[in-house]
Amino acid sequence: MPDSGQHPGSDWLTSTADGQTPTVDGQETSDSQQETEVRKPVAARRGSTYMRVALGKELRALRERGKTSTEATGGDSSRWTAEAVSTRLAFSRSKLSRVEAGEIPLPKLADLEALLNEYGVTDVDERDDLKRMQLDSLKVDPVTSYRAFLPSGMPRYLGLERDSTRIRGFENNAVHGLLQAEIYAAAQMNSARVVEERTSEAVERSIQARMQRKQLLVAEDREVHIILTENTLRTCVGSPEVMRAQYAEIIHLCDLDNIDVQIIPEQLAIYRAGWNFTVLEFEELDSVVQSDGYRSTTMFSKPADVGLLARQFDAMAKAAPGPSETPRILKKLEEELWK
């Protein structure tokens, strides 16, 4: 069933191959199927990507505060546009906008000082807090060693994924990366190696990055909820042996307290989103959504876009068989397809 709405626009970042940056009910189930577990609180995480986004959010709020104050006194609020502030501080045209969006870091402390002076921030504690955020945003991220082998935009997503407290993902073409067995990931990437003109080293490093990402998430107390369509599990990747191993991996992950997996059967007439996406939630930052496209990763942060995709996920989660049914569905598919 195709998605009924249009693809939302992105106000974060759509990274393209050339590095440019464009300006992003179904059936009820029983209570036994749809059990709701109480998760214990997750401690706040503070990776460099998270801190870069948080700093950008604070800087934007300071600029907007100046605009509001000027409007209240009848002044010219146009001096508070990102372009106007950038011009006064001799920044490049897009620098401030990209810093505020968390797309790029602000590496020079002098630039931060200039912004704080421009915004009239005189409180010593407030300035010190922002300086610490700026320093933390420049720390080396664990995915840095794989950056050259990842799709455009993926390192930024992985940095935020590490700092999330809740992950909700929907996949309608392949098994979600967080659920993939290593043998499945290897078969998937090797099958595309020649077409995508990737070296053996690039494939191997990409597999390592995926497994490192997965180990990090499974090891931490983070809520992960993934929905797959049945057709993703009917599509043979590699061989029947690979598929049996992948089914076993999903069943194993279903035993973990913080992971729920649901499967939408082919014959079940319910709403299905038209593309894959993952919703990331944080303790203090606003939620964001990631969606993979051709050679790029798009992230959405506008509340309307995030709300739309979150509602799509909730509709599918409500109508699909509950997580407790997933092992049974997988065993049935294995008997039918891969024995």
Side-chain angles (χ1 to χ4, degrees):
M1 180 185 300
D3 184 68
S4 58
Q6 296 182 341
H7 200 288
S10 170
D11 68 332
W12 267 39
L13 172 67
T14 303
S15 298
T16 57
D18 61 2
Q20 297 300 306
T21 306
T23 61
V24 149
D25 260 270
Q27 292 176 251
E28 296 284 349
T29 55
S30 67
D31 291 339
S32 61
Q33 287 179 311
Q34 295 290 98
E35 295 179 354
T36 301
E37 296 183 9
V38 177
R39 312 285 187 182
K40 58 185 179 180
V42 180
R45 300 174 175 88
R46 296 292 186 270
S48 59
T49 304
Y50 180 103
M51 296 308 296
R52 188 171 74 235
V53 173
L55 177 63
K57 180 180 178 181
E58 292 295 328
L59 292 174
R60 182 184 181 108
L62 287 171
R63 183 170 59 80
E64 292 293 335
R65 187 172 71 185
K67 178 182 178 181
T68 300
S69 178
T70 300
E71 289 175 342
T73 59
D76 180 13
S77 62
S78 65
R79 68 184 303 271
W80 294 105
T81 65
E83 183 175 358
V85 172
S86 295
T87 299
R88 289 198 297 277
L89 298 181
F91 288 0
S92 65
R93 181 180 179 87
S94 65
K95 179 178 178 179
L96 183 55
S97 293
R98 298 188 68 195
V99 167
E100 288 184 351
E103 296 171 14
I104 60 174
L106 188 66
K108 296 181 180 180
L109 180 58
D111 285 347
L112 177 61
E113 293 272 16
L115 283 169
L116 298 183
N117 292 338
E118 179 70 19
Y119 298 152
V121 180
T122 58
D123 183 88
V124 174
D125 291 337
E126 186 177 5
R127 292 178 74 99
D128 286 346
D129 285 344
L130 291 167
K131 289 176 185 178
R132 280 192 292 270
M133 292 174 69
Q134 186 258 350
L135 288 173
D136 288 344
S137 73
L138 301 178
K139 292 178 179 178
V140 176
D141 193 285
V143 302
T144 299
S145 60
Y146 300 105
R147 186 175 298 275
F149 305 99
L150 295 172
S152 181
M154 197 62 178
R156 181 168 180 249
Y157 167 75
L158 294 180
L160 288 171
E161 186 181 66
R162 287 180 63 252
D163 296 332
S164 65
T165 55
R166 187 185 185 202
I167 298 172
R168 290 181 288 169
F170 169 69
E171 278 286 348
N172 59 357
N173 291 306
V175 173
H176 194 286
L178 294 177
L179 304 181
Q180 288 187 9
E182 184 169 358
I183 191 174
Y184 181 98
Q188 183 187 52
M189 294 184 188
N190 278 304
S191 68
R193 183 170 63 88
V194 175
V195 176
E196 296 178 356
E197 298 182 331
R198 304 184 73 196
T199 65
S200 297
E201 180 189 9
V203 171
E204 183 59 33
R205 295 285 280 170
S206 295
I207 295 169
Q208 291 173 6
R210 181 159 296 177
M211 292 303 104
Q212 183 186 73
R213 166 196 178 195
K214 176 179 171 179
Q215 290 170 0
L216 179 71
L217 293 174
V218 173
E220 296 187 10
D221 185 16
R222 173 193 280 101
E223 182 180 348
V224 179
H225 188 171
I226 307 296
I227 301 175
L228 305 172
T229 56
E230 183 181 323
N231 72 286
T232 67
L233 298 160
R234 286 183 170 272
T235 301
C236 186
V237 174
S239 67
E241 178 186 12
V242 170
M243 298 307 295
R244 288 195 295 270
Q246 180 58 69
Y247 284 16
E249 177 66 6
I250 295 174
I251 292 172
H252 163 69
L253 293 174
C254 287
D255 287 335
L256 300 179
D257 291 338
N258 66 315
I259 298 180
D260 286 332
V261 181
Q262 290 179 269
I263 298 170
I264 302 177
E266 286 185 322
Q267 303 304 316
L268 187 60
I270 68 170
Y271 172 84
R272 292 168 173 81
W275 56 84
N276 70 77
F277 62 87
T278 301
V279 182
L280 300 181
E281 298 178 14
F282 307 92
E283 189 165 275
E284 295 179 1
L285 287 181
D286 295 333
S287 299
V288 299
V289 178
Q290 172 261 3
S291 182
D292 293 328
Y294 175 64
R295 299 180 67 186
S296 68
T297 293
T298 301
M299 299 191 74
F300 313 108
S301 63
K302 289 181 179 178
D305 293 337
V306 175
L308 169 63
L309 293 166
R311 288 194 301 275
Q312 291 180 359
F313 184 91
D314 290 341
M316 292 185 289
K318 180 179 179 181
S324 63
E325 291 295 300
T326 294
R328 180 190 64 78
I329 294 173
L330 287 171
K331 290 172 183 177
K332 182 179 178 181
L333 285 174
E334 182 176 349
E335 288 289 335
E336 176 187 344
L337 301 170
W338 314 120
K339 287 297 186 182

